[in-house]
Amino acid sequence: MGRVVILLFYLFTFSPLANAQELPVYLDESKPMEQRINDALGRMTLDEKIAVIHAQSKFSSAGIKRLGFPDLWTDDGPHGVRPDVLWDEWVQAGQTNDSCVAFPALTCLAATWNPDMARLYGESLGEEALYRHKDVILGPGVNIYRTPLAGRNFEYMGEDPWLASRMVVPYVQGLQSKGVAACVKHYALNNDEEYRHQVNVVVSDRALREIYLPAFEAAVREGEAWAVMGAYNLYQNQHNCHNATLLNKILKQEWRFDGVVISDWGGCHHTEEAIANGLDMEFGSWTNGLTEGLSNAYDNYYLAQPYKRLIQEGKYSTRELDEKVRRVLRLMFRTNMNRQRPYGAMCSEAHYAAARKIAQEGIVLLKNATPHSDRGSENSGRLLPLPSAQRLLVVGENAVKMMTVGGGSSSLKVQREVSPLQGLRERFPQVDYARGYVGDVGGNFDGVSTGQDLKDNRTAGELIAEAVEKARQADCVIFIGGLNKADYQDSEGHDRKDYALPYGQDAVIEALLKANKRLVVVNISGNAVQMPWADRVPAIVQGWFLGSETGRALADVLSGDVNPSGHLPYTWYRRLEDTGAHALGTYPGTWRPEHDIIDEEYKEDIFVGYRWADRQGIRPLFPFGHGLSYTTFGTGKAKVSAPEMTRGGTLTFTIPVTNSGQRAGSTTLQLYITDRKSSVERPVKELKAFRKVFLNPGEQQLVQLTIDERALSFFDSDRQQWVAESGDFVASIGFSAGDIVARVPFKLR
Ligand code: BGC
């Protein structure tokens, strides 16, 4: 007997057979993932299954300790890795090792019109996330820019579904290449912030499919995103975090999404809807805090004990639960159970370089004219770039205000943020400063403080007088204003109340114009703003929220060290009423009598952004896709690979582009499609391809733009499918939606 025991001991401890038996399938990396998932699932108890589908702290959910699965850590997103918070609070934990690099806001990324920048962004952010042991980054956001008042437009990728699609895919792939999941948000129709928990969006199937879903679809189908976040609002009278149509029908069945649906924080409201309608993980629901509760407050989550009770009572089997858990396990195998995951890096020089490069490429030169005072004089020429020897006066709060703190969940704690004033002072020898106006002097978000004291008790008149006095002495004045991250600005939870610039900035600009015609306005924002002075200010630059390297990237462009190449990801209307949503009075919606739900009907339908401007014949201040350079570009005759597209085929358009100026620079060729005759009303034109090219002076390149049948299609609501009707089409190629240089007719057979 003794010998048998010893033999068995040897067999199971030292022989290769024993090792093979000991390694459970779910830990065996040579086995297919689905097999490992099923194996792990089969070993889990009901309590373990319930535990992994809801939060255990503000940003984490439980692992399966008995089986060696670590806890899963999420974090915002999308512009850098948010500082760690206390276990059960929003307030930062006060760590000293969680200061990150802030990358430019996603509007800036979209404005690069360069998918390589999106890949670089995703990879860099992924490395920062890894270093901080985060498994899921809560971003990117791809809700369509429908109104310039929307508080979170700065976190999204503009008004056009094609542009947002091309930019979101490499971001997701770059991030996930590091073993960190992207959680694409906010799915769907979260196009403004005001009453975001109560808005029920009423939208046609066609607008849903053609405008609001394509970027999500691309992120899922092409980017293969591992997570999607449900939005707070309602659609078809059902909250989007457990919305049968959006989650089950479209996301999971049609798009074959195999990742997890995560609720927005506090976006889950109903256990049975959550069970049945496709929510996989519940986060951020109200808890009374671990300190106040007698037991673990997270047990009260809709997908915690209430779900378990329904299973125990026999109302549900574990069919839905197992499906959710499978998805969570898949997420874990892709992230924190992936042993090939690299280690990551935080605040590396490479990350700062990436942030600066993306910022440089996203800054948009909106206007660059000859100042009135210079006309006919010797130094007649465009105001930008600025020669180094000039005496510069910088005016405006946004020249000094830190913008990485505030704005809601995207708020960061950065290792450094170079302000515009600092960046300009590093680059130019003579830079004076005047405040000009006082806007928001706050500098705190969830316990993170900028440490800046921006208080200034002078009156508006005194501030303007000082700026004007100094402007008279300067060779050139750079006004740096715009919006900020305070409530009711570019910030989560509310929308702007006004299209106009806040804090009396227009008056400052007008006064400066009177004092010195050599005026550059740099607008820092994630939204268009009203610019009543635009026709009289010679140079206007759109500066976005540029992150850690803000000041340097701005100085790079203003000095001409870098030739600007950003293009607008949205239409810049002169007046708010020019926007479809506002022209039709559909914003913010109509309250129901009980005042619990506000219905917001998207009456402009598919005519969002330039589609509305084209249809109504409105000339915006700056068209979609607009962006100037310090050099000039010319084009030759455009050609198409064949006169007809066959079903399921593609067509390639070729256009020669030449840098006809003196400086090296990049431009973006944009291709828009027009359907000449259709059974339904179609937009005048729609972006379906673009390409950014870099050219040395005198250099020419043949730019190729390829489209497929989907580019010719509309969504047929009756048939519930994409339809491309045979007939005549036109491809319009240009430098913006308002600057078309070539038109090529073709047919679809
Ligand atoms: C925001 C999300 C964010 C989450 C966690 C919510 O309020 O809407 O975008 O990811 O909070 O911070």
Side-chain angles (χ1 to χ4, degrees):
M1 180 67 189
R3 246 187 272 153
V4 174
V5 172
I6 290 167
L7 187 71
L8 282 176
F9 174 78
Y10 267 93
L11 206 64
F12 283 101
T13 316
F14 300 115
S15 80
L17 174 74
N19 277 341
Q21 281 175 349
E22 265 178 11
L23 189 65
V25 170
Y26 76 92
L27 287 179
D28 185 347
E29 288 178 323
S30 68
K31 293 278 187 308
M33 192 195 283
E34 296 307 306
Q35 208 177 319
R36 298 173 69 194
I37 291 168
N38 281 331
D39 181 63
L41 185 72
R43 296 167 190 267
M44 290 172 72
T45 65
L46 179 60
D47 283 328
E48 284 167 341
K49 289 178 182 177
I50 290 286
V52 300
I53 62 163
H54 64 84
Q56 60 166 2
S57 76
K58 210 51 154 178
F59 282 102
S60 75
S61 57
I64 316 151
K65 292 181 185 52
R66 193 173 56 84
L67 301 181
F69 285 76
D71 293 346
L72 187 87
W73 283 90
T74 72
D75 205 3
D76 290 296
H79 306 140
V81 188
R82 182 180 179 151
D84 290 334
V85 299
L86 294 175
W87 186 255
D88 192 35
E89 306 288 339
W90 288 109
V91 73
Q92 69 141 342
Q95 323 270 39
T96 50
N97 61 353
D98 58 354
S99 301
C100 67
V101 172
F103 298 92
L106 291 194
T107 28
C108 174
L109 176 64
T112 68
W113 288 61
N114 185 349
D116 292 345
M117 289 298 108
R119 174 84 197 193
L120 176 66
Y121 197 123
E123 286 176 0
S124 311
L125 181 61
E127 285 166 6
E128 298 246 329
L130 274 181
Y131 187 88
R132 296 266 313 280
H133 301 293
K134 307 299 181 192
D135 306 308
V136 181
I137 283 291
L138 305 173
V142 283
N143 293 98
I144 289 293
Y145 182 113
R146 176 177 175 254
T147 157
L149 300 188
R152 290 186 92 170
N153 277 344
F154 72 99
E155 285 186 66
Y156 302 142
M157 300 202 195
E159 73 182 27
D160 184 76
W162 178 258
L163 175 64
S165 300
R166 290 312 94 211
M167 299 304 289
V168 73
V169 169
Y171 179 117
V172 168
Q173 290 171 337
L175 183 63
Q176 294 189 166
S177 72
K178 303 291 173 186
V180 177
C183 182
V184 186
K185 67 192 190 183
H186 305 89
Y187 183 71
L189 300 165
N190 185 185
N191 305 98
D192 48 63
E193 285 294 284
E194 211 58 60
Y195 318 116
R196 61 180 176 169
H197 296 274
Q198 292 152 290
V199 172
N200 177 54
V201 173
V202 181
V203 64
S204 72
D205 283 359
R206 198 177 155 200
L208 179 72
R209 299 296 191 135
E210 291 185 20
I211 304 294
Y212 297 102
L213 293 190
F216 288 103
E217 182 179 355
V220 167
R221 286 188 147 165
E222 286 176 64
E224 300 186 348
W226 296 336
V228 164
M229 183 188 289
Y232 281 136
N233 51 291
L234 301 91
Y235 164 64
Q236 294 180 335
N237 299 309
Q238 198 165 48
H239 277 103
N240 288 355
C241 288
H242 26 78
N243 187 292
T245 305
L246 292 176
L247 300 180
N248 282 346
K249 179 170 177 280
I250 298 178
L251 178 68
K252 291 186 172 176
Q253 282 161 29
E254 271 183 43
W255 300 348
R256 303 191 177 284
F257 174 64
D258 69 358
V260 294
V261 173
I262 295 181
S263 74
D264 197 346
W265 268 232
C268 180
H269 302 274
H270 200 281
T271 297
E272 295 201 50
E273 283 191 9
I275 294 172
N277 294 348
L279 181 66
D280 301 309
M281 298 182 91
E282 178 190 359
F283 276 87
S285 302
W286 178 86
T287 78
N288 61 357
L290 290 176
T291 44
E292 286 174 40
L294 287 178
S295 60
N296 181 358
Y298 290 90
D299 287 343
N300 300 326
Y301 269 37
Y302 295 93
L303 286 183
Q305 294 307 309
Y307 188 7
K308 185 180 164 189
R309 275 196 293 277
L310 290 175
I311 290 175
Q312 286 170 331
E313 286 162 12
K315 183 137 194 224
Y316 290 90
S317 71
T318 56
R319 187 174 62 88
E320 295 88 352
L321 178 62
D322 287 348
E323 169 60 13
K324 295 177 199 305
V325 175
R326 259 194 203 94
R327 288 171 183 271
V328 175
L329 290 170
R330 198 173 291 127
L331 178 67
M332 288 174 163
F333 282 122
R334 286 168 165 167
T335 58
N336 63 8
M337 288 294 280
N338 169 4
R339 292 181 193 177
Q340 313 308 324
R341 239 179 16 166
Y343 190 61
M346 188 84 172
C347 297
S348 67
E349 279 316 306
H351 294 172
Y352 281 113
R356 185 164 174 175
K357 176 96 182 100
I358 296 160
Q360 290 167 344
E361 278 213 29
I363 292 169
V364 184
L365 180 61
L366 291 173
K367 181 177 178 189
N368 192 17
T370 307
H372 243 308
S373 53
D374 288 0
R375 295 214 177 125
S377 72
E378 246 175 51
N379 59 347
S380 168
R382 303 196 186 267
L383 185 52
L384 294 174
L386 299 169
S388 301
Q390 296 207 341
R391 283 169 301 151
L392 301 180
L393 172 68
V394 173
V395 181
E397 185 170 285
N398 286 356
V400 293
K401 186 174 172 60
M402 271 181 75
M403 293 292 188
T404 51
V405 177
S409 56
S410 62
S411 184
L412 297 171
K413 183 162 95 185
V414 291
Q415 190 194 45
R416 72 167 189 247
E417 178 178 342
V418 179
S419 73
L421 184 61
Q422 191 187 335
L424 287 163
R425 284 195 164 140
E426 283 177 10
R427 176 62 182 75
F428 292 91
Q430 301 175 74
V431 182
D432 197 3
Y433 175 69
R435 179 73 174 265
Y437 66 93
V438 175
D440 171 62
V441 296
N444 263 294
F445 189 83
D446 283 343
V448 177
S449 168
T450 60
Q452 292 188 301
D453 181 6
L454 293 176
K455 283 194 208 73
D456 192 324
N457 293 327
R458 287 176 290 174
T459 64
E462 287 166 344
L463 290 164
I464 291 179
E466 181 204 31
V468 163
E469 177 61 31
K470 289 186 171 185
R472 291 203 182 100
Q473 318 300 320
D475 294 323
C476 181
V477 181
I478 307 173
F479 176 83
I480 304 184
L483 307 177
N484 55 40
K485 301 285 191 67
D487 277 352
Y488 295 97
Q489 298 282 317
D490 278 333
S491 187
E492 187 175 331
H494 293 290
D495 295 333
R496 293 157 68 200
K497 291 180 172 161
D498 250 320
Y499 193 37
L501 280 174
Y503 318 126
Q505 292 178 71
D506 287 340
V508 184
I509 293 170
E510 294 290 356
L512 290 173
L513 252 183
K514 282 201 192 109
N516 192 331
K517 294 282 178 275
R518 298 172 57 80
L519 175 64
V520 182
V521 170
V522 177
N523 183 65
I524 305 282
S525 74
N527 262 314
V529 299
Q530 200 168 327
M531 293 184 163
W533 29 261
D535 296 338
R536 287 168 288 125
V537 169
I540 307 176
V541 173
Q542 175 57 22
W544 315 115
F545 298 107
L546 297 176
S548 284
E549 293 287 69
T550 296
R552 295 198 178 120
L554 269 176
D556 291 335
V557 167
L558 294 176
S559 66
D561 293 346
V562 165
N563 196 347
S565 66
H567 293 260
L568 285 177
Y570 53 74
T571 308
W572 200 295
Y573 284 103
R574 283 183 186 272
R575 309 172 313 157
L576 188 62
E577 312 85 85
D578 290 343
T579 320
H582 296 277
L584 300 177
T586 68
Y587 170 90
T590 311
W591 286 105
R592 293 187 188 169
E594 316 81 55
H595 206 84
D596 55 348
I597 301 285
I598 179 167
D599 290 303
E600 188 169 3
E601 191 181 345
Y602 289 9
K603 286 190 188 148
E604 75 283 14
D605 202 53
I606 56 169
F607 298 99
V608 175
Y610 63 88
R611 289 163 170 81
W612 178 258
D614 280 350
R615 181 178 191 258
Q616 304 301 112
I618 296 168
R619 274 196 64 203
L621 183 55
F622 304 112
F624 171 76
H626 171 73
L628 303 172
S629 166
Y630 295 146
T631 187
T632 49
F633 297 96
T635 51
K637 196 169 159 40
K639 288 192 188 132
V640 59
S641 53
E644 283 190 358
M645 185 192 278
T646 49
R647 292 280 163 186
T650 60
L651 279 184
T652 296
F653 297 83
T654 308
I655 185 162
V657 186
T658 311
N659 181 344
S660 45
Q662 307 298 319
R663 283 170 186 264
S666 298
T667 190
T668 300
L669 272 296
Q670 305 163 27
L671 183 145
Y672 297 84
I673 292 294
T674 306
D675 188 353
R676 298 286 290 272
K677 196 158 158 268
S678 169
S679 60
V680 295
E681 185 184 0
R682 300 203 58 182
V684 172
K685 63 179 186 295
E686 298 184 271
L687 182 75
K688 294 297 172 186
F690 61 87
R691 188 168 303 267
K692 194 169 198 174
V693 282
F694 174 85
L695 295 168
N696 283 311
E699 188 185 342
Q700 187 183 79
Q701 255 187 52
L702 284 180
V703 175
Q704 295 199 319
L705 299 153
T706 300
I707 56 163
D708 60 12
E709 196 179 319
R710 172 85 178 248
L712 312 183
S713 309
F714 63 90
F715 189 80
D716 185 330
S717 308
D718 295 336
R719 289 153 69 185
Q720 287 289 303
Q721 67 186 44
W722 292 91
V723 172
E725 292 177 338
S726 303
D728 293 328
F729 291 82
V730 178
S732 300
I733 303 173
F735 296 109
S736 81
D739 184 11
I740 299 300
V741 294
R743 287 193 171 78
V744 185
F746 67 95
K747 283 184 196 300
L748 174 69
R749 240 195 272 166

